[in-house]
Amino acid sequence: MAPKSLKKLFSDTLIYGLSSIVGRFLNYLLVPLYTYKIAAASGGYGIITNIYAYTALLLVLLTFGMETTFFYFANRERDRWRQVFSTSALMVGIVAALFVALCFAFINPLSTTLGYADHKEYLLMMACVVALDAFQAIFFGRLRFEGHAWKFALLKLSFIVANIALNLFIFLLAPVLAESHPELMSWYRADWQVGYVFAINLICTASVTLGFLPEIRDLRHGISRDLIGPMLRYSWPLLLLGIAGILNQVADKICYRFIVPGPEGDVQLGIYGACVKIAMLMAIITQAFRYAYEPFVFGGSRDKNSKESQGVVMKYFVIFTLAAFLAVVCYMDLFKFLISPQYWDGLRAVPIVMMAEIFMGVYFNLSFWYKLNGETYWGAIMSTIGCVVLLAINFIFVPTYGYMACAWGGLAGYGVCMALSYFIGQRRNPIPYPVATIAGYFALAVILYFATTLMSDLTMGWRIAGGTILLIIYAGVVAYAERDLVSKVLRRLLHR
């Protein structure tokens, strides 16, 4: 890997990571806020978890693979990449507008089917949110294509900060003002907490659109008819891939209310959804990596060292994500205070969900062989198989084992996708991944995880001390195994 390219990858990952990791960390403030202010027994957090699962699926449908398609065609058509951008953004915008119109037209049967007949406004607000998110996705993709990482980070963080500020006002300050100054707070309803969550999201999402006013001017290029066909042919397998992929993440949260109907289903889903938030550290890392790595791979696909680079990057991705996994499980006694004790029963699902997220990240890294070859249908096939595995485990085992079956279903689904992508990819476009080394790091992390379970009868202080020792062991083993890289880094630092 060329030093300049590697430096560019790392610097972009740092900036994208700043917006994702710092942003998500700040967003974690909402998890204790919601779980301490919305009682587990009310099922309110279960409703939030369920509706956000729907929006994640809808976002994939409304973008229909156009974000990756934009990267692919913008790199192939560099002399008219603005035309590619305009075509992508307008196609997504038109589909998103039609979606919102249909939701408003058929809200009565839709809300009844989904179990929200008494709260149609929840669905309408989130329909607008997901439509705006889909439209903005192409604009954020453009920022990544142009290398405007700082603007990307600023817009992402501005949304997070505004979202947190409004939530803190509604859940902490508004109730106090409603008692002390009722004449100013006649609009406030203490029983509409879930509704405020969605309303705030809509306000903040709409505000972000203003940050794209300079880019919106390029929509004057319109839709290029000669691009529509090739772009849709490239994107439809990505759509299937995206649907199957996102279902691996949210199908359990969508199906849970149908498998376990009624208030009890909302309560259990709320407990599971709150604890899964702790495991989302893996999603933060893989998302930050994806934002920088996708344009890097597409832009450097003609580099003769590209395959070797992908193998090296995969190894370091696994090293750092496993370190994050161990950090969470070793310090679970601290991380658990992110949520109210009412939700702690679901903490046993966290390690399983985190490992599933690592599998998803590995699967993403393995996916470039078919994206670069234009054979995106392979991704759709493999993700569909993984999704079927996940759904089967959910429908068979959730009635007996509850949300723990959701966690194991996600692990199995991503595990199948990861294995299929590796073995098929090595036949069609072999890449020299250091499989033995990566497997060794996984084995080490699993052994250290089971070591943490042996300390369950100790006091919190001893558990934290023991976890620290286990993390030092992991770091020591990795440092020794990667001693050549470590020595190079140290020499460079010492010579500065």
Side-chain angles (χ1 to χ4, degrees):
M1 182 183 293
K4 289 185 178 179
S5 297
L6 186 60
K7 184 178 180 180
K8 173 67 173 173
L9 172 63
F10 285 165
S11 64
D12 282 359
T13 301
L14 180 63
I15 298 172
Y16 293 127
L18 178 68
S19 62
S20 296
I21 296 175
V22 175
R24 290 289 186 91
F25 175 76
L26 292 174
N27 212 22
Y28 271 140
L29 293 174
L30 298 180
V31 178
L33 181 67
Y34 292 158
T35 58
Y36 280 92
K37 290 296 181 179
I38 302 176
S42 72
Y45 198 77
I47 292 173
I48 294 172
T49 300
N50 179 250
I51 291 182
Y52 272 113
Y54 278 112
T55 59
L57 174 60
L58 287 169
L59 183 60
V60 171
L61 290 170
L62 296 182
T63 53
F64 52 95
M66 271 296 142
E67 189 177 6
T68 299
T69 301
F70 164 70
F71 276 117
Y72 182 77
F73 280 87
N75 278 286
R76 290 184 59 185
E77 307 276 351
R78 282 192 172 269
D79 58 329
R80 56 167 186 160
W81 68 265
R82 283 186 170 80
Q83 185 78 65
V84 175
F85 162 74
S86 177
T87 301
S88 304
L90 287 173
M91 284 198 292
V92 171
I94 291 170
V95 171
L98 288 173
F99 165 75
V100 172
L102 289 172
C103 285
F104 274 84
F106 297 99
I107 187 58
N108 289 328
L110 179 64
S111 60
T112 301
T113 301
L114 298 181
Y116 294 105
D118 295 332
H119 293 288
K120 301 171 187 176
E121 70 277 14
Y122 294 173
L123 301 182
L124 292 176
M125 285 188 290
M126 292 311 294
C128 295
V129 167
V130 75
L132 286 170
D133 278 338
F135 186 56
Q136 292 173 7
I138 308 302
F139 287 82
F140 278 114
R142 170 175 169 162
L143 295 182
R144 291 161 55 201
F145 174 77
E146 292 186 283
H148 294 164
W150 282 111
K151 181 173 181 179
F152 181 101
L154 180 63
L155 289 175
K156 289 288 186 180
L157 288 175
S158 65
F159 169 86
I160 295 294
V161 171
N163 191 34
I164 291 174
L166 289 175
N167 272 281
L168 290 175
F169 172 77
I170 287 294
F171 284 92
L172 298 181
L173 187 57
V176 176
L177 292 176
E179 291 186 7
S180 60
H181 297 83
E183 70 281 1
L184 300 176
M185 303 294 291
S186 58
W187 55 269
Y188 176 75
R189 288 172 47 190
D191 62 342
W192 205 61
Q193 290 176 313
V194 174
Y196 287 127
V197 172
F198 301 137
I200 291 170
N201 196 337
L202 177 57
I203 293 169
C204 296
T205 301
S207 299
V208 169
T209 308
L210 299 176
F212 291 115
L213 290 178
E215 289 78 13
I216 287 176
R217 289 198 296 265
D218 276 344
L219 296 182
R220 66 182 185 275
H221 293 288
I223 296 178
S224 177
R225 292 184 180 181
D226 67 309
L227 286 173
I228 294 176
M231 291 181 77
L232 290 177
R233 283 193 294 272
Y234 183 86
S235 69
W236 77 260
L238 288 177
L239 171 60
L240 297 179
L241 167 63
I243 292 172
I246 198 64
L247 282 175
N248 277 319
Q249 297 180 53
V250 302
D252 50 356
K253 303 170 189 67
I254 291 176
C255 297
Y256 207 90
R257 295 180 88 237
F258 296 103
I259 301 173
V260 186
E264 180 60 24
D266 286 336
V267 171
Q268 293 300 314
L269 182 57
I271 292 173
Y272 177 62
C275 291
V276 164
K277 287 292 186 181
I278 298 176
M280 285 300 103
L281 177 63
M282 288 296 103
I284 295 170
I285 294 174
T286 54
Q287 183 187 56
F289 185 83
R290 171 179 173 258
Y291 283 150
Y293 195 46
E294 192 170 58
F296 171 82
V297 171
F298 278 118
S301 60
R302 295 181 180 87
D303 185 350
K304 64 179 181 180
N305 297 319
S306 177
K307 290 187 176 182
E308 288 73 13
S309 299
Q310 291 180 52
V312 172
V313 171
M314 172 72 84
K315 180 177 69 171
Y316 293 125
F317 172 81
V318 170
I319 288 173
F320 286 112
T321 52
L322 288 176
F325 167 81
L326 288 172
V328 172
V329 297
C330 288
Y331 296 128
M332 185 62 74
D333 286 301
L334 301 177
F335 281 101
K336 68 182 181 182
F337 289 105
L338 283 170
I339 59 177
S340 167
Q342 304 171 67
Y343 295 81
W344 283 0
D345 183 63
L347 291 174
R348 52 204 172 108
V350 171
I352 304 168
V353 176
M354 289 188 73
M355 189 57 70
E357 289 290 337
I358 294 177
F359 283 6
M360 183 189 72
V362 173
Y363 174 48
F364 169 78
N365 289 341
L366 291 169
S367 69
F368 282 100
W369 66 264
Y370 59 77
K371 290 181 179 178
L372 290 171
N373 293 343
E375 299 176 341
T376 47
Y377 57 86
W378 278 109
I381 293 171
M382 291 181 290
S383 291
T384 299
I385 293 172
C387 185
V388 169
V389 171
L390 179 148
L391 290 172
I393 291 175
N394 273 261
F395 279 100
I396 294 172
F397 295 107
V398 162
T400 304
Y401 299 101
Y403 52 74
M404 288 302 295
C406 298
W408 283 109
L411 182 67
Y414 282 130
V416 168
C417 292
M418 181 179 66
L420 287 174
S421 186
Y422 174 74
F423 288 112
I424 297 174
Q426 290 303 93
R427 283 181 172 273
R428 300 187 66 83
N429 187 28
I431 293 173
Y433 293 112
V435 177
T437 303
I438 290 173
Y441 288 136
F442 267 108
L444 173 63
V446 171
I447 291 170
L448 294 177
Y449 161 68
F450 279 110
T452 65
T453 64
L454 300 177
M455 299 186 290
S456 59
D457 293 333
L458 301 178
T459 62
M460 180 188 296
W462 282 110
R463 287 198 299 269
I464 292 174
T468 302
I469 293 172
L470 294 176
L471 279 174
I472 292 172
I473 292 173
Y474 177 80
V477 171
V478 170
Y480 178 77
E482 306 296 329
R483 54 190 177 277
D484 290 340
L485 176 64
V486 172
S487 63
K488 289 180 182 178
V489 172
L490 289 176
R491 283 198 301 270
R492 180 168 295 182
L493 291 174
L494 291 174
H495 284 85
R496 284 187 173 181

